[in-house]
Amino acid sequence: DSGRSRAPPNLAVHKHGLLFVTSAGNNGPALSTGGAPGTSSCCIAVGAYCSSAMMGPQYSLRAKLADIQYTWSSRGPTYDGHLNVSVSAPGGAIAPVPNWTLQGRQLMNGTSMASPNACGGITLLLSALAARGERWSPASIRRAIETTALRTPNATGSAVEVWALGRGLLQVGAALSWLEEHGGHAHCDVRFELSATTHGCSTAAGAGARGVYLREPQHSSASEVGVDVFVRPRLHEEAPNAQRVSLDVGVTLQPSAPWLSCAPFLALTHGGKGFNLKVSPGQLPPGAHYAEVAGHDSSSPRRGPLFSLPVTVCKPHANLAAPHAPCHVAFERVAFSPGHIERRFVVPPRGATWATLTLRARGAPRSREPAGSVVYMYSLTQLLPQKHIGQSSETRRVTMGVPDEAQGAGAPATEYVSTVACVGGVTLEVAVAQWWMSLGETELDVRLDFFGLSPSVEQLTLDGRTLFSSLELHSFRRTSVEPEGSLKTLRRACRPLQAKLVPPAAPCGDVGIGDAGVGGKTPIYDYLLSYKFALKEACEGVTVRFPSLSAQLYESGYEAQLWALFDAHKRLLRWGDYYVDKTKLKAGEYEVRLQLRHDSPAHLEKLKDMPMVVDLQIAPVALSFHWSRASALDDPAAGPKPPLRRLLEPHTRVALHVASPAAPAIAEPGDTLLGSATFAKLSSEGVGAGKRPGGWPVTLFVPPAAKKEEPPKSASKDKEDETAPHRMEAALRALKISQLVKLSPKCKCKPPKEPASAGEAAPLPHEAAAARYEALLAELRAECAAAAAPPDAPPEVPPLLPLLLAGGAGIGAGHFRAQTNLLHAEDAALGVTLAADKLLAPGGAEGVDTVVLTDPKVWSAAHLLRCLTCVLRLPPPLAPLLTPAGRLVASVFVAVVLPPLGLIGRSLERFLIPLVRLVLTSGCADAAASLLAPPAA
């Protein structure tokens, strides 16, 4: 009785006076299979019933059967003991269907047919009251239909269990008569809330339950169980306080069974009053039992009960968790007929993790209706705290052949075997029913065998940063152990890129109330979250999940949840809500938009950073299991790897180590790999699957990616000493070289500490800089003279071209500095840095050499031609080329004219080089020839 779906119906019913009629569900025949919103106390949940009169015309049955509840109709009680089903109504209807089905009408079945049938009947009741001008309230209508409901449908003598039928079959006429007679009573509009707390052996619902539900062995094994019950009257919130003060009811408490005991009288006022109830399960035989404590108005008991406290007790048929109990139980020759249900309650042994159900069918002796084949429906159910019943139960419909009676008593029975997961020590309900319209009388042998190994952790978590993880296995019986498992899903988390709160929409004109709750006064806000993710390759199974919200429909804390998946072109690919499924996606970028609704902005904004996870189906990654740490580390000293299969004796513990596998290439740091593992594996000659269905969940956290190994560098024969002093000298030398191109005559030197003498002239700044770098320049000249051409250089490249450093390097006794950077863009594209520094001294001083740094991979004769104006020692007649205008002309010439000529081929280069020598040297042919001449032998 929780979730966002409970709040709007409560508000609609208790504040605004509406009636909320809903279906009970179609998950029978087991107990406690009702679902929300029918589990809420404010709703009228309707079960599906089939009368004998319906079977012939609607279902064309050749035999007339007694009135029954449909096999699949959900049963109560709820986890906290509430009856769940209020009333029942016919669950089959011939209804109109859309034209695309190519038929005008169709027979429909389910509580979704029973609920509108009951709603129509209640509407007739309200219509009659309105025609007579009589007032009503939700409490009075509910009390009328439940008090007057027919306990035995159509008086055929068919006894339908109260968990399925509720208070009975809806009777509109009787309910109207009850309202005419008792509708004006002072307490008719008062509803009563009950709260029950079981001491000493609390139920799964904990304190504050709406009923008493004793199902587990600690409940049923007790001779007496005490329950504290508190009853609180509830009036409409707008009722005057005088009405609250005047509320004083003398209530007579009447238990419906001798195994219930309580006080006979309760003085009830608006503040509420409690009483103690004693339940005596020890007096009951095995099976499911129902009783209730009804509270009647002592002044008018004919009006029916003001309230009822339901009590359900499930006494086990076999408690295999007791000491020295066997590991199996069998029920032989259980008789069945159409619609008949047999329930057996078994407590599995502690440590059991799966069970094998075996059904053997045979015809009943002296059967009136021979059955060639019979349809059965079975359900194995355990109630676990805060877990949906679909996750702890299995329900299936099977068809089994029944041997003919003419074959004799020795005819072999038909057998069906199924394996289900279970939890040891928790009561397991085995509900087997013959399908309601499957004719014939049959007998079934039902057998349950329990197996399993209990791991020390429910969910195995592998940390990718460690080599292996460890756990313990415990056996409750002799079991063969052969662990196996794999990881099949990659989970990637995404944070929202955008979160937007959308205010409620205004009404459309004068129609409706817009985005507002019941009554139009509570605004409903939308919250939009946007996520993006990318796939590097196509994936067959992609699942979008919101772990905090998924798999919660009516139990969710939000009243709406809708997501849509778009591709990079904003095309809608898929949409979903609370339940997820897989889809196939191609490589690319995708966007997911999530929409939530609630009346509280603060409740919505808590989700602004809520992650979304994307599950990708991947090729299985096998897990490796080891019995020792040494084996998990692949220690050669550990000897040969022992066999993985091992036999465990009862009540034995053994350690198991699981190696962390390498993550697939698609995985990224922060991702998780999901899969499952099984630890026990019985012989193939045994019955059933031989291992726990679904296994145990396994999670691997993907660690940071390993650093890629760089190829080892070839060690030089003359490797320099890598000591600290040498590294410092090398760093200082590199720093000085980097400063050469930045020096100019404008650089300023710090004045000396002591002034120069009167007869001595102070040095110029560039002279001081030249003196500072003189030793370095001499060292560089020596290195340049000893430098050799790269092994892959063309033969026409001079040996000094890799590093042509000569005197001055931009520092000399000149008045100006000119830097030539020819073909800047082209040289940068080629990976070449070409810098020319030239200082000319007036009066015909020798030119200063140039620094050229060139990539050997792009050396060629054509590139050499583009560099001639920089590498030549230019005489004074060509000094104008180093002026800004001259550099511009030379750059244009070299950039525009020479590259096309260089593409003509090697044959033309032999003629172009002498021509350029002659033009550029202008009287210095000897110097140019010496520079361009091939190297000496």
Side-chain angles (χ1 to χ4, degrees):
D1 192 25
S2 62
R4 179 61 182 168
S5 64
R6 173 180 175 270
N10 269 333
L11 187 65
V13 173
H14 301 319
K15 182 177 181 178
H16 300 284
L18 303 181
L19 289 172
F20 198 108
V21 183
T22 182
S23 58
N26 304 317
N27 300 316
L31 299 181
S32 304
T33 50
T39 55
S40 178
S41 301
C42 67
C43 298
I44 300 176
V46 184
Y49 139 91
C50 184
S51 68
S52 178
M54 294 169 55
M55 298 178 184
Q58 291 186 343
Y59 298 99
S60 303
L61 289 183
R62 55 184 173 81
K64 186 175 182 180
L65 305 176
D67 300 337
I68 57 175
Q69 202 82 356
Y70 286 96
T71 309
W72 33 257
S73 184
S74 291
R75 270 74 173 168
T78 62
Y79 279 31
D80 64 346
H82 181 56
L83 186 57
N84 190 10
V85 181
S86 300
V87 293
S88 290
I94 299 177
V97 293
N99 289 338
W100 58 263
T101 62
L102 302 183
Q103 53 185 349
R105 57 181 182 170
Q106 181 180 347
L107 176 63
M108 309 291 286
N109 305 297
T111 54
S112 294
M113 298 294 105
S115 175
N117 187 299
C119 192
I122 296 174
T123 304
L124 294 176
L125 183 62
L126 301 181
S127 177
L129 295 176
R132 300 178 183 181
E134 299 180 6
R135 57 175 300 276
W136 57 271
S137 67
S140 62
I141 297 297
R142 184 176 191 129
R143 191 171 301 163
I145 62 176
E146 290 184 353
T147 302
T148 60
L150 189 60
R151 299 296 178 106
T152 305
N154 286 347
T156 60
S158 173
V160 179
E161 54 190 7
V162 66
W163 302 293
L165 187 65
R167 300 298 176 184
L169 182 66
L170 176 65
Q171 304 292 306
V172 177
L176 180 60
S177 301
W178 187 95
L179 288 170
E180 291 176 349
E181 182 178 356
H182 308 292
H185 191 268
H187 308 308
C188 188
D189 297 333
V190 180
R191 60 185 176 91
F192 297 86
E193 291 183 354
L194 281 74
S195 175
T197 302
T198 305
H199 294 282
C201 48
S202 61
T203 62
R210 294 172 294 168
V212 180
Y213 194 9
L214 305 181
R215 177 183 173 111
E216 301 308 321
Q218 65 267 27
H219 307 154
S220 56
S221 60
S223 58
E224 295 180 354
V225 176
V227 181
D228 286 339
V229 184
F230 192 84
V231 184
R232 183 184 298 276
R234 293 292 188 184
L235 297 175
H236 193 275
E237 63 180 27
E238 297 179 356
N241 289 335
Q243 188 176 352
R244 292 181 171 85
V245 174
S246 61
L247 180 61
D248 191 352
V249 186
V251 179
T252 302
L253 301 177
Q254 296 180 355
S256 63
W259 45 275
L260 296 180
S261 176
C262 64
F265 185 79
L266 181 69
L268 191 60
T269 60
H270 181 261
K273 187 69 178 294
F275 65 93
N276 182 263
L277 173 67
K278 184 178 71 173
V279 184
S280 303
Q283 304 177 12
L284 301 175
H289 305 273
Y290 176 83
E292 60 186 19
V293 177
H296 295 267
D297 187 349
S298 58
S299 62
S300 180
R302 294 180 55 255
R303 298 193 185 102
L306 299 174
F307 58 85
S308 296
L309 177 70
V311 180
T312 301
V313 178
C314 298
K315 196 73 175 294
H317 294 78
N319 186 0
L320 305 184
H324 309 295
C327 300
H328 66 275
V329 63
F331 307 98
E332 298 181 350
R333 306 192 74 88
V334 182
F336 286 90
S337 59
H340 182 70
I341 303 174
E342 286 288 338
R343 307 184 189 276
R344 298 292 186 269
F345 297 90
V346 180
V347 182
R350 299 189 183 277
T353 56
W354 84 85
T356 298
L357 172 68
T358 304
L359 301 178
R360 295 186 179 90
R362 60 171 61 90
R366 297 178 297 277
S367 174
R368 295 173 297 176
E369 183 73 32
S373 63
V374 177
V375 179
Y376 295 98
M377 194 171 188
Y378 75 86
S379 181
L380 304 176
T381 307
Q382 289 182 305
L383 301 187
L384 301 178
Q386 298 296 320
K387 184 171 288 189
H388 190 273
I389 194 171
Q391 301 175 350
S392 60
S393 66
E394 178 182 273
T395 301
R396 290 185 182 178
R397 188 173 69 172
V398 297
T399 301
M400 302 178 62
V402 178
D404 191 359
E405 189 178 8
Q407 298 178 5
T414 307
E415 187 173 274
Y416 174 82
V417 179
S418 178
T419 302
V420 297
C422 68
V423 178
V426 179
T427 299
L428 173 69
E429 178 191 358
V430 184
V432 184
Q434 186 169 324
W435 191 249
W436 70 274
M437 58 184 304
S438 182
L439 302 180
E441 288 81 25
T442 60
E443 290 183 348
L444 273 181
D445 293 340
V446 182
R447 179 184 173 93
L448 276 173
D449 293 271
F450 293 94
F451 308 91
L453 288 174
S454 298
S456 56
V457 291
E458 291 285 338
Q459 180 168 347
L460 177 61
T461 301
L462 303 178
D463 191 343
R465 299 169 298 180
T466 61
L467 297 179
F468 61 89
S469 299
S470 305
L471 70 155
E472 289 186 355
L473 301 177
H474 174 258
S475 63
F476 77 97
R477 60 178 295 180
R478 187 182 178 94
T479 306
S480 177
V481 183
E482 188 174 354
E484 59 182 2
S486 62
L487 305 173
K488 300 181 180 179
T489 303
L490 185 145
R491 172 166 292 180
R492 181 166 298 163
C494 307
R495 290 284 187 181
L497 299 178
Q498 183 181 9
K500 182 179 180 181
L501 182 66
V502 181
C508 183
D510 296 332
V511 180
I513 58 176
D515 282 345
V518 179
K521 297 182 179 180
T522 304
I524 305 298
Y525 294 85
D526 285 304
Y527 202 60
L528 303 179
L529 296 170
S530 178
Y531 302 83
K532 286 188 178 181
F533 68 95
L535 297 179
K536 297 181 180 179
E537 57 186 32
C539 185
E540 294 290 335
V542 180
T543 305
V544 175
R545 297 178 185 271
F546 301 93
S548 303
L549 304 176
S550 295
Q552 299 182 38
L553 184 56
Y554 301 108
E555 299 87 353
S556 174
Y558 299 88
E559 66 184 51
Q561 174 181 327
L562 181 67
W563 60 265
L565 174 64
F566 301 88
D567 62 8
H569 305 290
K570 306 300 182 183
R571 180 177 56 182
L572 177 63
L573 301 179
R574 197 172 189 86
W575 59 270
D577 47 23
Y578 296 89
Y579 298 102
V580 298
D581 53 4
K582 296 180 180 180
T583 184
K584 181 179 180 181
L585 295 179
K586 300 179 181 179
E589 296 183 352
Y590 297 91
E591 180 179 0
V592 176
R593 299 175 188 173
L594 172 66
Q595 178 186 11
L596 299 167
R597 289 170 60 86
H598 202 275
D599 59 5
S600 171
H603 201 61
L604 291 169
E605 290 178 348
K606 291 192 305 182
L607 306 178
K608 64 179 180 179
D609 295 323
M610 181 186 67
M612 175 193 74
V613 296
V614 181
D615 291 347
L616 308 178
Q617 183 178 346
I618 60 175
V621 178
L623 297 176
S624 177
F625 299 88
H626 307 271
W627 294 117
S628 66
R629 297 176 182 267
S631 177
L633 295 173
D634 292 331
D635 186 0
K641 184 178 179 180
L644 200 57
R645 189 178 183 89
R646 177 180 292 188
L647 189 64
L648 260 64
E649 297 297 330
H651 309 293
T652 303
R653 290 185 177 272
V654 64
L656 183 65
H657 309 279
V658 187
S660 300
I666 191 177
E668 300 177 357
D671 293 345
T672 54
L673 300 181
L674 308 177
S676 61
T678 57
F679 304 111
K681 187 174 182 180
L682 305 183
S683 172
S684 59
E685 300 177 356
V687 179
K691 56 185 178 181
R692 189 176 193 262
W696 301 91
V698 180
T699 301
L700 169 67
F701 293 101
V702 179
K707 185 179 181 180
K708 295 183 178 180
E709 296 183 0
E710 298 181 355
K713 298 181 180 180
S714 58
S716 176
K717 295 182 180 179
D718 301 331
K719 188 175 181 181
E720 297 182 359
D721 190 2
E722 295 294 336
T723 59
H726 286 76
R727 289 199 301 269
M728 180 176 291
E729 292 177 2
L732 290 174
R733 184 173 182 272
L735 180 61
K736 291 180 180 180
I737 294 174
S738 66
Q739 297 298 317
L740 290 179
V741 296
K742 300 179 181 180
L743 295 176
S744 70
K746 298 181 181 180
C747 64
K748 298 179 180 180
C749 300
K750 295 182 179 180
K753 297 182 180 179
E754 297 181 1
S757 60
E760 184 179 348
L764 296 175
H766 57 271
E767 292 177 350
R772 186 180 306 169
Y773 287 95
E774 184 177 358
L776 175 62
L777 291 174
E779 182 182 352
L780 292 177
R781 289 192 194 99
E783 291 181 5
C784 197
D792 56 348
E796 65 267 21
V797 177
L800 297 184
L801 198 56
L803 181 60
L804 220 167
L805 285 169
I811 307 173
H815 295 286
F816 66 94
R817 174 179 184 268
Q819 176 178 350
T820 303
N821 191 352
L822 298 178
L823 306 179
H824 169 77
E826 183 179 358
D827 288 344
L830 292 173
V832 177
T833 302
L834 178 60
D837 292 294
K838 188 70 177 175
L839 288 177
L840 298 177
E846 286 192 4
V848 182
D849 293 339
T850 304
V851 179
V852 180
L853 300 178
T854 307
D855 188 348
K857 296 181 180 180
V858 296
W859 286 355
S860 65
H863 189 266
L864 179 60
L865 292 175
R866 297 197 296 270
C867 301
L868 286 176
T869 56
C870 298
V871 300
L872 292 178
R873 308 178 96 188
L874 299 181
L878 290 185
L881 288 177
L882 298 178
T883 63
R887 292 199 303 272
L888 178 60
V889 173
S891 300
V892 173
F893 175 78
V894 176
V896 177
V897 178
L898 294 185
L901 295 178
L903 298 177
I904 298 177
R906 290 181 176 270
S907 59
L908 295 181
E909 290 181 5
R910 297 179 181 178
F911 300 98
L912 289 175
I913 293 176
L915 180 60
V916 175
R917 286 178 184 168
L918 180 61
V919 173
L920 295 180
T921 57
S922 180
C924 298
D926 295 338
S930 64
L931 179 63
L932 297 177

